Amino acid sequence: MKILLIVVLSVMTVAALALGSIYYISQKTITDKGGMVNNMANVVDECRYSLGGGMDGESLYIRLSADENGYAVIESSRVPFNGAPEETKTLSVPFEAVEKIRAVCSEYGVMSWKKLKYSEIIAIDAPTVSLTFSVKKENISVTINSNQELPEGCDGIFNEVYGILISYLQGDD
């Protein structure tokens, strides 16, 4: 009986180790600037950029979203100043737009950031910019905004993402 129990436990242990190893190997890992391993950056499938406030009351919303079939769509909504009519646009874009956003997420390690503190100094008349990166299938998202203290060396993320999104929105890429 003892031998049977030892054999069964050994087989179960080997099976658990094998399944764990297969799972570990199947996970795509990316190392960010800080050397952190990030499993979600390479599967981000939605990015939202929004700008609002400021002295003129401008608002801008851009959403890049991909589906499981490799198609991507970019949508935008803009009100240039208080009282102006809303301008909207929707375009199909190459999937490479999503890949560029994934590269930014990987470079900055966004998907591994913990909760960020808000800055003690906030310009009241400056617009606030927010970015949200999502993995829709996993129901995971990270949102950051320009009033938060970002990790060292990561201040350029807002301009980098905006540059990518606006280039596809304007048809430059």
Side-chain angles (χ1 to χ4, degrees), residues 48-52 59-62 128-132 158 165:
R48 295 184 303 267
Y49 174 98
S50 65
L51 175 142
S59 68
L60 173 64
Y61 177 79
I62 305 172
T128 299
V129 178
S130 295
L131 288 174
T132 300
F158 294 105
L165 296 175

Side-chain angles (χ1 to χ4, degrees), residues 39-55:
N39 290 328
M40 289 293 141
N42 57 339
V43 289
V44 165
D45 54 6
E46 183 174 88
C47 175
R48 295 184 303 267
Y49 174 98
S50 65
L51 175 142
M55 293 178 63

Side-chain angles (χ1 to χ4, degrees), residues 104-125:
V104 170
C105 287
S106 175
E107 176 186 351
Y108 288 97
V110 175
M111 299 307 285
S112 63
W113 288 359
K114 303 299 181 214
K115 187 173 181 174
L116 301 174
K117 293 187 331 182
Y118 279 86
S119 176
E120 293 180 15
I121 301 172
I122 297 174
I124 305 276
D125 61 348

Side-chain angles (χ1 to χ4, degrees), residues 129-149:
V129 178
S130 295
L131 288 174
T132 300
F133 303 96
S134 302
V135 180
K136 295 181 288 190
K137 182 178 177 183
E138 301 291 331
N139 198 25
I140 295 171
S141 66
V142 172
T143 300
I144 61 173
N145 76 54
S146 57
N147 293 327
Q148 293 174 308
E149 294 179 7

Side-chain angles (χ1 to χ4, degrees), residues 108 150 153-161:
Y108 288 97
L150 302 182
C154 295
D155 292 337
I157 192 168
F158 294 105
N159 289 334
E160 199 166 335
V161 168

